[in-house]
């Protein structure tokens, strides 16, 4: 914290305006450094039976028995007739009826109301997967191969991406803008990296961001980002990023003032993304459970009032990774991301992420493995953890 901020009322503005007690970002800085269609007729004719003396044209109103029989004889229907030996011919032109009229595949057999079934060509037989104008198979395969969601996404709510490779693909359309999100996990699961990566994604897109830390100094935040190749120092110099390091005790004691001024400061700075690392340290400042719930609820309410997309980090419970340490923040937020260890006596320890909830957004509910690399967190969407 700067020396000017170490006065009795450290939230008092240095602007020199005696009529305003509004604080500035610098007052907060504590460190200056379809199925196939059948070709068969829909009304199937009754089978002809000579033994029962039935009509050969039963079921066909427009065809008589006389018309049904042919001069050439129908080997497939007249069982007592001897097979006729075809006479050799030297020409393709024949006195015989075209297309073996009267055969089972002829149009005369099916009557005037039914067309002969269309047989596949030689080329189609050679290539059963040949493209067909009315076949959507190829399109559907492409739709299912690239994403978990086949339908086109439409929404009137503005969406943003988190910036974590693989995880964004698990959310259809992106997270609704101005959402209040929390990433929970035990020590070493990458919660801080998650928050830094979320802020960096916004900065890369030309958005302004605010990063509030209760665990590290301003210099430590810049150094951690630089290790990943993220230029937080330059963003801060260009006034695109405000890094504020709070002492948890001082923040708890002054939370009412911070809560009241935070929406205005965010609006004045023009921030679109905010990160608070971590809300657990703030919760620990209150021994009384009722007091803790009230203060955290009021603080998250002020963040929503500010209209900024916020990412909070929180420690997970020692007994249940799907619950925060104090069991409060997951009920006050719009989205919950769970980072956890998956251990087995037969396999090495792996990291896994699961989206517990996102309001107003469809998302995958699978548990996916991820790694923390030199480039940040990468989620392997196509892989399975088990």
């Amino acid at each position: 914290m700067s020396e000017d901020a170490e006065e009795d009322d450290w939230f008092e503005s240095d602007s020199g305006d005696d009529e305003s007690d509004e604080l500035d970002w610098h007052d907060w800085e504590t460190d200056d450094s379809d199925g196939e269609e059948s070709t068969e007729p829909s009304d199937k004719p009754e089978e002809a039976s000579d033994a029962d003396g039935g009509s050969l044209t039963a079921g066909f109103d427009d065809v008589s028995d006389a018309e049904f029989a042919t001069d050439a004889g129908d080997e497939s229907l007249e069982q007592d007739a001897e097979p006729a030996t075809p006479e050799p011919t030297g020409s393709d032109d024949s006195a015989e009826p075209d297309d073996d009229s009267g055969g089972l595949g002829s149009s005369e057999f099916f009557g005037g109301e039914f067309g002969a079934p269309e047989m596949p060509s030689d080329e189609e037989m050679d290539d059963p997967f040949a493209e067909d104008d009315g076949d959507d198979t190829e399109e559907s395969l492409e739709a299912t191969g690239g994403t978990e969601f086949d339908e086109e996404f439409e929404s009137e709510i503005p969406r943003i991406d988190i910036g974590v490779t693989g995880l964004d693909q698990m959310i259809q359309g992106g997270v609704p803008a101005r959402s209040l999100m929390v990433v929970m996990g035990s020590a070493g699961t990458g919660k801080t990296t998650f928050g830094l990566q979320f802020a960096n994604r916004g900065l890369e897109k030309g958005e302004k961001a605010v990063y509030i830390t209760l665990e590290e100094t301003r210099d430590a935040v810049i150094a951690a980002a630089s290790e990943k190749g993220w230029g937080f120092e330059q963003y801060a110099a260009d006034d695109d990023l405000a890094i504020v390091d709070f002492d948890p005790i001082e923040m708890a004691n002054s939370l009412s003032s911070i809560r009241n001024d935070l929406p205005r400061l965010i609006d004045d700075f023009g921030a679109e993304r905010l990160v608070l690392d971590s809300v657990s340290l703030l919760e620990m400042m209150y021994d009384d459970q009722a007091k803790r719930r009230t203060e955290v609820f009021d603080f998250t309410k002020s963040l929503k009032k500010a209209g900024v997309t916020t990412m909070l980090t929180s420690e997970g419970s020692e007994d249940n990774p799907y619950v925060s340490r104090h069991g409060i923040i997951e009920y006050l937020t719009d989205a919950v991301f769970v980072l956890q260890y998956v251990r087995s006596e037969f396999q090495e320890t792996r990291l896994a992420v699961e989206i517990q909830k996102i309001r107003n957004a469809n998302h995958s509910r699978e548990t996916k493995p991820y790694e923390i690399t030199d480039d940040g967190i990468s989620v392997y969407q196509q892989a399975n953890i088990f």
Side-chain angles (χ1 to χ4, degrees):
M1 181 182 298
S2 62
E3 295 180 358
D4 295 338
E6 294 177 354
E7 298 177 0
D8 294 337
D9 185 3
W10 70 289
F11 287 97
E12 183 176 354
S13 173
D14 294 334
S15 61
D17 188 356
D18 297 333
E19 299 178 0
S20 174
D21 291 333
E22 297 178 348
L23 69 115
D24 187 80
W25 287 121
H26 301 292
D27 296 324
W28 285 8
E29 297 180 3
T30 59
D31 192 333
D32 293 336
S33 46
D34 291 316
E36 297 181 358
E37 295 183 0
S38 173
T39 57
E40 297 294 330
S42 58
D43 296 328
K44 195 171 182 179
E46 300 178 4
E47 278 187 44
S49 174
D50 289 340
D52 297 336
S55 173
L56 292 174
T57 56
F60 296 93
D61 296 334
D62 297 339
V63 183
S64 66
D65 290 346
E67 292 175 336
F68 189 79
T70 64
D71 294 338
D74 191 344
E75 295 101 15
S76 61
L77 295 177
E78 297 181 353
Q79 298 177 356
D80 297 334
E82 295 182 358
T85 304
E87 297 182 0
T89 176
S91 172
D92 292 339
D93 298 330
S94 172
E96 295 180 359
D98 293 339
D99 298 330
D100 293 334
S101 178
L104 290 177
S106 68
S107 59
E108 192 170 324
F109 173 81
F110 284 95
E113 3 179 329
F114 305 101
E118 188 175 351
M119 301 300 291
S121 65
D122 293 340
E123 294 180 357
E124 291 174 330
M125 293 295 291
D126 292 339
D127 186 4
F129 298 101
E131 182 178 357
D132 187 278
D133 293 338
D135 189 6
D136 296 331
T137 303
E138 183 176 352
E139 181 179 352
S140 62
L141 287 174
E142 292 177 354
T144 57
T147 176
E148 186 173 344
F149 306 100
D150 298 339
E151 67 274 14
E152 183 178 352
F153 178 80
E154 294 182 2
S155 174
E156 296 181 357
I157 304 176
R159 307 275 167 164
I160 66 169
D161 55 341
I162 296 175
V164 176
T165 304
L167 187 61
D168 284 313
Q169 285 69 37
M170 295 173 65
I171 310 170
Q172 186 180 22
V175 177
R178 297 180 293 277
S179 292
L180 180 61
M181 303 173 286
V182 63
V183 52
M184 304 186 309
S186 57
T189 53
K191 299 183 299 295
T192 297
T193 302
F194 197 107
L196 292 170
Q197 197 162 341
F198 171 74
N200 182 70
R201 178 56 177 164
L203 293 167
E204 289 179 338
K205 296 174 62 177
E207 302 172 357
K208 289 191 174 184
V210 175
Y211 193 96
I212 301 176
T213 175
L214 305 182
E215 297 182 347
E216 304 288 348
T217 64
R218 185 177 185 274
D219 289 341
V221 171
I222 293 177
S226 298
E227 286 291 326
K228 305 297 182 183
W230 304 328
F232 274 30
E233 186 171 12
Q234 187 60 48
Y235 286 128
D238 295 338
D239 289 330
D240 292 326
L241 172 65
I243 304 175
V244 183
D245 52 348
F246 275 124
D247 180 271
I249 298 178
E250 290 184 356
M251 184 174 180
N253 293 334
S254 306
L255 191 59
S256 178
S257 298
I258 296 175
R259 187 170 57 237
N260 293 333
D261 287 318
L262 192 58
R264 179 190 60 81
L265 290 172
I266 292 175
D267 183 66
D268 291 344
F269 187 70
E272 297 182 53
R273 301 194 184 203
L274 183 144
V275 176
L276 173 62
D277 184 27
S278 83
V279 71
S280 296
L281 290 179
L282 180 61
E283 293 174 323
M284 290 172 59
M285 296 300 105
Y286 304 98
D287 295 331
D288 183 69
Q289 178 74 359
K291 177 70 172 177
R292 180 186 299 120
R293 283 181 173 272
T294 300
E295 292 295 336
V296 174
F297 173 77
D298 289 341
F299 181 69
T300 56
K301 187 177 179 180
S302 68
L303 291 174
K304 290 186 176 182
K305 181 181 178 181
V308 62
T309 307
T310 303
M311 176 66 71
L312 309 175
T313 67
S314 174
E315 294 183 16
S317 169
E318 295 180 357
D319 301 325
N320 188 349
Y322 297 96
V323 178
S324 65
R325 177 179 289 273
H326 298 283
I328 301 174
I329 196 63
E330 59 266 37
Y331 296 99
L332 303 178
T333 52
D334 304 308
V336 178
F337 302 93
V338 178
L339 307 181
Q340 59 182 305
Y341 290 106
V342 178
R343 293 185 172 98
S344 171
E345 56 181 322
F346 303 105
Q347 298 179 356
E348 62 180 350
T349 301
R350 302 192 67 181
L351 293 167
V353 61
E354 182 176 331
I355 305 174
Q356 193 174 81
K357 74 170 183 179
I358 301 180
R359 290 175 182 156
N360 300 319
N362 192 13
H363 60 87
S364 171
R365 296 189 179 275
E366 295 182 299
T367 302
K368 294 296 181 180
Y370 71 92
E371 286 186 351
I372 305 176
T373 68
D374 293 339
D375 299 323
I377 295 177
S378 295
V379 177
Y380 300 104
Q381 180 195 5
Q382 303 300 330
N384 293 318
I385 194 66
F386 301 111

